[in-house]
Amino acid sequence: MPARLSLPARPLLYAGLLYLALPMILFLWGWLQPFFSLPLCATLAYGLHATVRKLPEWRFSLTKRGTVLLLLLSAGCLLLTFLCGFTGHFQQHADFTIRNAVYGQLIAEPWPLVMPDGHHFIYYLGHWLPPACAAAFCPAAYASWLLAGWTFLGLELALLTAACLWGIRKTAWWTLLLLCLGSPAASLDFLGMPLSHLFPEYNAQMALFIGIPSQIFNTFNHAVPALLCTVLLLTRSLPASGYYLMGALLLPGSPLAALILLPFILYETLFRDSACGFRTGERLRPLLLHPVFWVAFLCVGVMSLFYAHLDGGGQFSCLLSDQYAEAFHYTMRRMVLYPDSVKYASFLLSLLLNVLLPGALLFAACRRMPLYYITLGGMACCFFFRMGVMNNELLFKAPAVLYPSLAFLFLHAFRTGSTRSHIFLAVYVTFTAIPSMICVAEKLGTFSTDSALMQAHRQENYGGTLYHPEQPFHRQFIKKDGHPLPAWLFKRCRKP
């Protein structure tokens, strides 16, 4: 009798940690002085080894039906990767104007990457580093395929990890919910009732979350590693100190996602099952004494010093602050939520549709789950606090962390709620899927194998370079060409 196929937990989790660690290792090697990079890389290797020793060893057996379903889910991951437009078979999003230039210069220029004015280019570069390192030793035509392969690998590792820890059926339903969940306010836009009509001086996109397909298409460099980390957290795959190492490893690819993940990590490591007699202090003491925690602390310190030299484009501000006066929708109009302003009413409507409505639908089934309050609280904070000079990047990028958790809550509600609640939940999920379905359909409609059209699909407006000071919004859009980094830690700048 032939042996059944199975998914081994430990190698999958180890591969996921290596996937997250490789950008950090390349960053330490390429940006730091050798006196610091060598011991830090060795310390990080020790942290990975110490974490891997405590990973679960079970195997998940695959039936024929489960294997077919897993292959279909993997094909979906591959389709999402191609829809990003890396190879030109599908049209690229406008943000690829910057992303292509970042990737191209990481391949062509020595590290650390610097601007022609001699300043370091400070950006969340992590996701590009492994394929850029490989592309430097390959023909130029391989570069886009290497980036597509690296992105697909991250999605596939997240899928396989969830399947191994949850089972195929639960993973399939969770994946379907994750791809469907989005912003009800955005659905109103697509149905011909744009919120921007309520407040013409306020860009409607600033008050809307975007679904996971749009996340992957537009900000794959942030969304893919963030999704993998969230899956590791939701499946409870790592020891306590391993979650802090995981969050630190996420920093080169997405510092914002690492920040949003922190409340989830704190709950998982310090407060979960506290009703069963586990006190926070009893958990905190061994955590602080664990070497892996301090490995994570060192990595966080290095990346914090790196990101601290931004030019201000990543600053936080509060919607209720009188100093909230940065650019919105390419203008310099002040955006303060005064109670007598029509903008205030539109904000409350968006908050109602995006946070309070799903909260009400999930309340009966999930009210005893702390994950419910952490997720919805994080979504609410994304409305009240803003990051970035031109756009609220919290709303653009937070869903890569929050929507996987929200999909987990919806899955729990579908499995435990009443028939009536199932109907309301299904209607909500179907309604919120409209923007994602339209986004995927639009992408599919651009497919071509014609070489001229494939070349036209690529966003190369900046000619493969990052330095365009003549652009009126250069600093706000590029926004990471800040001050020189301390030479005692980081390698000296060499003008390209």
Side-chain angles (χ1 to χ4, degrees):
M1 183 176 180
R4 278 187 175 182
L5 293 175
S6 62
L7 291 175
R10 175 172 283 190
L12 277 177
L13 297 175
Y14 192 20
L17 286 174
L18 283 177
Y19 185 90
L20 296 169
L22 188 54
M24 176 66 81
I25 292 172
L26 291 175
F27 176 83
L28 295 175
W29 189 265
W31 267 255
L32 269 60
Q33 299 283 8
F35 182 79
F36 291 99
S37 63
L38 289 173
L40 282 173
C41 286
T43 302
L44 180 56
Y46 164 77
L48 289 172
H49 174 71
T51 302
V52 168
R53 288 189 304 173
K54 296 185 178 181
L55 293 180
E57 297 184 0
W58 65 74
R59 303 177 72 91
F60 178 77
S61 296
L62 290 170
T63 63
K64 290 184 178 179
R65 182 179 297 178
T67 303
V68 171
L69 183 55
L70 186 59
L71 289 175
L72 290 175
L73 292 172
S74 299
C77 291
L78 186 61
L79 176 61
L80 287 177
T81 302
F82 272 98
L83 288 176
C84 289
F86 297 121
T87 61
H89 288 93
F90 296 91
Q91 190 176 48
Q92 293 182 343
H93 185 267
D95 284 354
F96 274 81
T97 298
I98 298 299
R99 308 198 191 288
N100 287 338
V102 171
Y103 185 46
Q105 290 203 229
L106 283 171
I107 296 172
E109 302 292 341
W111 297 350
L113 190 62
V114 298
M115 304 295 282
D117 61 6
H119 287 167
H120 284 89
F121 182 74
I122 304 175
Y123 198 68
Y124 38 97
L125 303 162
H127 187 75
W128 287 288
L129 294 183
C133 184
F137 301 96
C138 298
Y142 289 20
S144 59
W145 291 96
L146 288 169
L147 181 56
W150 180 251
T151 302
F152 169 70
L153 179 59
L155 292 174
E156 186 68 7
L157 286 173
L159 171 66
L160 293 177
T161 300
C164 184
L165 276 299
W166 283 340
I168 301 296
R169 180 178 296 182
K170 181 177 179 180
T171 299
W173 282 112
W174 174 80
T175 302
L176 178 62
L177 288 169
L178 182 59
L179 295 177
C180 290
L181 284 174
S183 167
S187 299
L188 291 176
D189 258 10
F190 284 105
L191 291 176
M193 295 177 285
L195 292 180
S196 55
H197 288 177
L198 296 174
F199 43 108
E201 57 191 356
Y202 181 58
N203 183 5
Q205 290 180 349
M206 299 303 102
L208 308 179
F209 290 108
I210 62 175
I212 289 296
S214 299
Q215 285 267 301
I216 296 173
F217 298 158
N218 300 340
T219 59
F220 62 89
N221 56 304
H222 141 86
V224 172
L227 179 60
L228 176 57
C229 284
T230 308
V231 169
L232 291 174
L233 190 60
L234 288 175
T235 55
R236 306 183 68 180
S237 302
L238 305 179
S241 58
Y243 291 118
Y244 292 92
L245 180 62
M246 177 196 75
L249 296 178
L250 183 57
L251 287 171
S254 180
L256 186 57
L259 181 64
I260 297 171
L261 268 176
L262 185 58
F264 294 91
I265 293 175
L266 290 174
Y267 164 68
E268 179 66 32
T269 57
L270 299 179
F271 301 102
R272 189 172 189 130
D273 300 328
S274 58
C276 300
F278 297 101
R279 296 182 180 179
T280 301
E282 295 175 351
R283 293 177 172 182
L284 181 60
R285 191 176 301 108
L287 180 64
L288 293 178
L289 295 176
H290 203 291
V292 174
F293 177 85
W294 292 104
V295 172
F297 181 83
L298 286 175
C299 293
V300 170
V302 171
M303 296 309 304
S304 298
L305 189 58
F306 179 71
Y307 288 124
H309 288 76
L310 304 184
D311 66 358
Q315 64 188 3
F316 278 92
S317 53
C318 179
L319 285 173
L320 304 178
S321 170
D322 288 337
Q323 297 181 358
Y324 188 84
E326 298 292 352
F328 249 86
H329 197 38
Y330 309 103
T331 71
M332 292 301 293
R333 297 178 181 177
R334 183 178 294 271
M335 173 56 195
V336 182
L337 292 177
Y338 294 113
D340 59 347
S341 169
V342 68
K343 293 176 289 188
Y344 191 78
S346 62
F347 168 81
L348 292 180
L349 176 61
S350 189
L351 182 66
L352 170 66
L353 293 174
N354 286 283
V355 180
L356 299 181
L357 178 57
L361 293 174
L362 293 170
F363 181 76
C366 302
R367 66 182 184 276
R368 298 184 184 276
M369 301 174 63
L371 184 66
Y372 167 82
Y373 300 98
I374 297 173
T375 302
L376 292 174
M379 295 174 68
C381 285
C382 291
F383 282 101
F384 284 101
F385 291 91
R386 165 187 171 278
M387 179 184 177
V389 174
M390 289 176 57
N391 299 325
N392 187 355
E393 294 194 2
L394 281 173
L395 294 177
F396 286 156
K397 296 177 180 176
V401 173
L402 297 174
Y403 274 3
S405 302
L406 190 65
F408 185 84
L409 294 172
F410 267 86
L411 182 61
H412 176 78
F414 271 114
R415 297 176 70 179
T416 61
S418 64
T419 303
R420 182 180 179 183
S421 68
H422 290 172
I423 295 174
F424 286 115
L425 291 170
V427 170
Y428 176 86
V429 170
T430 303
F431 182 68
T432 62
I434 294 174
S436 292
M437 290 189 296
I438 292 177
C439 181
V440 171
E442 290 176 347
K443 284 280 190 175
L444 287 171
T446 66
F447 174 73
S448 177
T449 56
D450 178 78
S451 57
L453 188 53
M454 288 172 62
Q455 186 63 33
H457 281 165
R458 298 185 61 83
Q459 299 288 335
E460 302 286 1
N461 309 42
Y462 275 8
T465 64
L466 296 165
Y467 190 65
H468 290 269
E470 72 281 359
Q471 297 288 337
F473 296 97
H474 171 71
R475 292 189 65 82
Q476 291 90 340
F477 195 46
I478 302 294
K479 72 183 181 186
K480 308 294 185 186
D481 62 340
H483 308 292
L485 296 171
W488 59 270
L489 178 60
F490 293 91
K491 292 180 180 178
R492 295 184 180 276
C493 295
R494 292 175 293 175
K495 293 185 179 181

